[in-house]
Structures are given as C-alpha cells and as structure tokens.
Amino acid sequence: MAVRPVLAVPLVAMALALAGCGIRATEVPTDFGPAPSRVPCALTGPDIGTPSSRGILVQVFLVCSSQLAPVDRTVRIEAGPAETDRVRAAQALLDELSESPSDAEKQANYSTTVPKGLTVAGPRRTDPGDALRLSTAPTDLTPYALAQIICTFSDSEAASDDGTVTLGGPAGDASRRYECTEAVRTRPGTETPPSTRTDGA
C-alpha cells in the first residue's frame, strides 16, 4: 500500500516539468501528420546508365504510395522534321508511361494508371503552336493518369518554354494549359493540375 505515493511523485514531477517547458500534458492523441511510409519508392538495382545509341535517358512519373515518383527510362525517338519534335517526344513518353512497370519497379511498389494505346497529335489550326492533342480527352482520364502525363511532359521536349503543358482531346474543345505543382506530385489522386483555357475563356 505504501508504494503508490512513491510512484505518484515522479509522475507529478514529470507533469510539472512539461508544464514548465510550455508543453501541456495531454492524453488526447495529437495529429503529427501521416506516418512515414514503409515503402521506399526507390529502385535498388544498378544504375540505368548514360544516353547511348540505344536511346536517350528520360524521366517519367509513376505512382508510388499514392504519390508521383520519378523513374529513369531510356527511350528511342525516331528522327523527323523539327516541327514534330514535341509530338514525337510526347508519344515516346506516353508509350513509357503506359508500359507495365519492370519487375524491379513493381518490387519497389511503382505502378502506372496511364492506359495503353493512348496517342498524341500536334495542334489544330485554332490551337497554340505548342498544343498537343491526346486521343482521349484529358478530362476523361483518371486524376492519377492526368497527373502522371502532365508532370512527365512538364520537364521534357513536350513542354512549353515556361514548363507548362498544353493539352486537348480529340474533339474540337479548347485546349488547356496545365501545370505540374508540388501539390499535384504529392496528392495526384485529389489535387487536379491547375489549368487555364488557351482561348482566354
């Protein structure tokens, strides 16, 4: 019976010490944000290497732990007229995004939501010169797929000079100028890439 007062002293002292430091003792769980993910989202295989005759090194964004994570890929872009450089680069990146992740990428929990068979064409007569037209309207893509495409294009030859990406669909709707932001990269499922219509409407 005499043990209880002895144990109570350190507890009281601890509470006073916390109060003296400006920290209020509480039994209510405190929200310190999401727990760190146990998924590394990092490949542990050998370095992919430098650009070679097999192709050029590019970066695509895949989905990992509900976020976008960059992955290095090697692509081959066929030579063609300079005015089609943006289209050919965009198609090569789309093809990579729609490919099933490699075994190493799957083990690191990477996935993709970009559908196979997606194609891209150049601008229509009423579009800005840097516009790209997808075979599926951007609004018909899943939020993750659109975010993957916008963020992958934004740091490539497919982007405009200011890093934005101008996309439209197969119909005659006005194209839109999209941005890849930090919020889009960290919350692609809920954060829609900011966009503005290119016709000013």
Side-chain angles (χ1 to χ4, degrees):
M1 298 293 295
V3 176
R4 290 181 181 177
V6 175
L7 291 177
V9 173
L11 294 176
V12 173
M14 182 181 297
L16 292 174
L18 290 173
C21 294
I23 302 174
R24 185 173 59 185
T26 177
E27 294 181 359
V28 179
T30 304
D31 184 9
F32 292 103
S37 173
R38 296 182 180 180
V39 180
C41 291
L43 299 175
T44 58
D47 186 15
I48 200 168
T50 56
S52 67
S53 59
R54 295 177 300 171
I56 59 174
L57 194 64
V58 297
Q59 193 174 74
V60 300
F61 280 86
L62 301 182
V63 179
C64 188
S65 294
S66 300
Q67 300 183 15
L68 296 188
V71 173
D72 290 334
R73 293 277 181 83
T74 301
V75 302
R76 186 161 189 163
I77 302 176
E78 299 298 330
E83 60 268 22
T84 64
D85 282 352
R86 178 176 279 110
V87 175
R88 287 182 286 111
Q91 188 62 62
L93 292 170
L94 278 180
D95 292 343
E96 286 297 318
L97 284 171
S98 63
E99 281 292 321
S100 179
S102 66
D103 290 342
E105 290 167 349
K106 289 177 181 177
Q107 289 178 2
N109 206 36
Y110 287 95
S111 64
T112 186
T113 61
V114 177
K116 285 185 176 294
L118 194 62
T119 60
V120 63
R124 296 186 174 179
R125 184 177 55 84
T126 56
D127 287 334
D130 58 358
L132 297 166
R133 288 275 175 177
L134 299 177
S135 56
T136 296
T139 53
D140 290 339
L141 295 169
T142 67
Y144 278 101
L146 180 59
Q148 282 186 258
I149 293 171
I150 297 301
C151 290
T152 296
F153 281 6
S154 67
D155 193 27
S156 74
E157 291 294 326
S160 303
D161 293 339
D162 60 357
T164 60
V165 180
T166 304
L167 291 181
D173 297 338
S175 58
R176 300 187 71 90
R177 199 173 295 278
Y178 294 87
E179 296 180 58
C180 174
T181 63
E182 181 63 25
V184 172
R185 289 190 291 269
T186 56
R187 298 187 300 276
T190 58
E191 192 73 21
T192 303
S195 67
T196 54
R197 285 179 56 144
T198 56
D199 59 1

